[in-house]
Amino acid sequence: MSIALRYAAQSDVGLMRQNNQDSGYAGPHLLVLADGMGGPAGGDIASSIAVAHLAPLDSDAYKTEELLTLLRNAINDAHQELIDRSQTDAELHGLGTTCIAILRSGNKLAMTHIGDSRAYLLRKGTLTQVTTDHSFVQYLVETGQLSPEQAENHPQRSVLLRVLGDNEGDVVLDESIREAVVGDRWLLCSDGLSGVVSGETIGKIMHNTPDPVETCSHLIDLALKAGAPDNVTVVIADVVDAEEDEHPSLTPHIVGAAATNRLAKTRGSQGAAGKAAALRSSSSKKMDKNDADNSSHDCQSKQKKKILGKKSSPDITKDLEADDDGFEKQPKSWRFWVSMAIVCLLVFGISVGGVLAWRWTQTQYYVATHNEKVVIYQGIPQTLGPLSFSHIKEETAVRKDDLDQVQWLRIQKGVPQDSLKEARRYVRDQYNSSRTHKKKLSSSPSDSSVEEPSDTPLDSPSLEPSSSPSDTESISSALNTATTLQGRVSEANRLTATPAGALVGRLSIPHSYVQCWEAMT
């Protein structure tokens, strides 16, 4: 029985994160999930690099015994690129990612794993966690210092012991080969799901929701309802009979930081948890303003209390009436000119602020694309009506074909840089990195094919005389050559009494001459 995978992948930035550092991939023969780390400048790059090195393996051209080696080599290549990027860009120091990859060949599945992202298998209604977290808390559980229940809420549950990062040394992976059984359902997820949704709930959703796409949506919705403090990424794959699959999945699903919509906002902002998260976020922004308002209110209250302490109620009433009378007697023209002065000051302030803001934007740079080329823009990638805050500063010689897909998609969104020099260096690094990667791929050994000998005999040369003059001349030349050859062989036999075939090497007689002689005799 031939099998196939029916798959889906989805990702959400969550309710507390500003950007998505997870990356996911689901294809006909490959499933990948990577949870990046290293701050805003590194996590999304690390997970994207892992997916970029593994995605080319999505093919059915491999044998079972090759699967683990292919996965291991791809992950080691990603590890080396992370080291190179960290060494060339100080802002990326400390970047890393978890990684789970499953590669299929026939009915065999090869899996590699590092980090705390998880793989689950639902078989006959029972959900099993296939991977083991490479975390400090899991170590405490295995050594009997913590119970699984205590580990779920431990403050150090996010501390990892093994990760794919920029540190030197070998990458230690968990590796296994498993049987792909029709009816199995596989789940790869980041800790944005497993950290807030219990395994029992995950199993119920996977068992009760047949469609992979709907399953992904339900699981992410559960994480969002639980608060989603981290990015949430889910990859689902069903093992099905290929002959019974009426709508086979062929197009890969790429989600998260490695996707074109990696800057998408969370879809959970309208729920109760999303509104609560928004309130928590906005409360910090309003804190300074509220403190200022409260301080002003307190000052006014203290001032009133001080006045009440010095004067009696009738005196206070008189003072208030005097103030009101004085205000009403002020001429209207005076208030008009005050208002005009305030308006002029506001206009002047806005104008000066606009000029300063414009000048600041022209000190910024970012790398983007234009007409299938990589270009450097001066300014910021924003517009205000017909007004654009950026323009092309330099058009580089790097084209779309010079970069891999992940690099091109990331640059399409615009990559901010601190200076023109930094922008040039970034383009150069991206080009060199892509070029190095392509050289590695092109230099890897490929399967060589050996041509099998044909069972069809070769056409024997025709010995029939031809009526054409050229054929007659060819035959005459062959006879003359044969006569000469006969003399040389006879002479050799006379001298050494050795068979003619054995003298070919000694007398330097061309092998073709001997064949011609044997055919003639």
Side-chain angles (χ1 to χ4, degrees), residues 225-394:
K225 291 178 180 178
D230 200 355
N231 307 143
V232 188
T233 302
V234 176
V235 176
I236 293 287
D238 293 337
V239 181
V240 299
D241 187 346
E243 298 178 356
E244 297 179 359
D245 190 10
E246 299 179 355
H247 305 287
S249 302
L250 299 176
T251 304
H253 296 183
I254 305 174
V255 297
T260 55
N261 62 339
R262 62 188 181 91
L263 300 179
K265 301 297 183 181
T266 178
R267 68 191 189 196
S269 58
Q270 300 303 317
K275 294 178 180 179
L279 289 175
R280 288 194 299 269
S281 177
S282 61
S283 62
S284 61
K285 297 180 181 179
K286 295 181 179 179
M287 187 175 297
D288 293 339
K289 181 179 179 181
N290 291 338
D291 289 343
D293 293 341
N294 292 337
S295 176
S296 175
H297 181 268
D298 292 341
C299 290
Q300 293 174 0
S301 300
K302 291 178 181 178
Q303 185 178 4
K304 290 180 180 178
K305 290 177 181 178
K306 184 176 181 180
I307 294 173
L308 291 173
K310 285 186 177 182
K311 295 186 179 182
S312 62
S313 297
D315 294 335
I316 295 172
T317 304
K318 291 180 181 179
D319 290 339
L320 294 175
E321 291 176 351
D323 291 341
D324 291 340
D325 292 341
F327 182 77
E328 290 178 354
K329 293 177 180 179
Q330 291 177 356
K332 295 183 179 179
S333 59
W334 185 85
R335 286 188 292 172
F336 171 79
W337 288 112
V338 170
S339 301
M340 289 298 297
I342 293 175
V343 171
C344 292
L345 288 175
L346 288 175
V347 173
F348 177 78
I350 294 173
S351 301
V352 172
V355 172
L356 293 177
W358 170 258
R359 293 183 62 181
W360 174 83
T361 62
Q362 299 311 296
T363 63
Q364 306 299 307
Y365 296 86
Y366 67 97
V367 181
T369 61
H370 180 71
N371 291 336
E372 303 296 314
K373 281 188 175 183
V374 177
V375 297
I376 299 175
Y377 283 85
Q378 182 178 11
I380 59 175
Q382 300 292 335
T383 58
L384 182 61
L387 179 62
S388 176
F389 293 99
S390 64
H391 63 278
I392 295 178
K393 180 66 175 179
E394 286 184 7

Side-chain angles (χ1 to χ4, degrees), residues 27 88 128 131 134 216 231 251 259 275 286 347 407 433 495 506:
T88 56
T128 305
T131 57
H134 299 151
C216 290
N231 307 143
T251 304
K275 294 178 180 179
K286 295 181 179 179
V347 173
Q407 290 174 314
S433 174
L495 293 175
R506 300 180 185 178

Side-chain angles (χ1 to χ4, degrees), residues 50-64:
V51 171
H53 282 271
L54 288 165
L57 300 180
D58 191 4
S59 171
D60 61 350
Y62 310 117
K63 299 179 181 178
T64 302

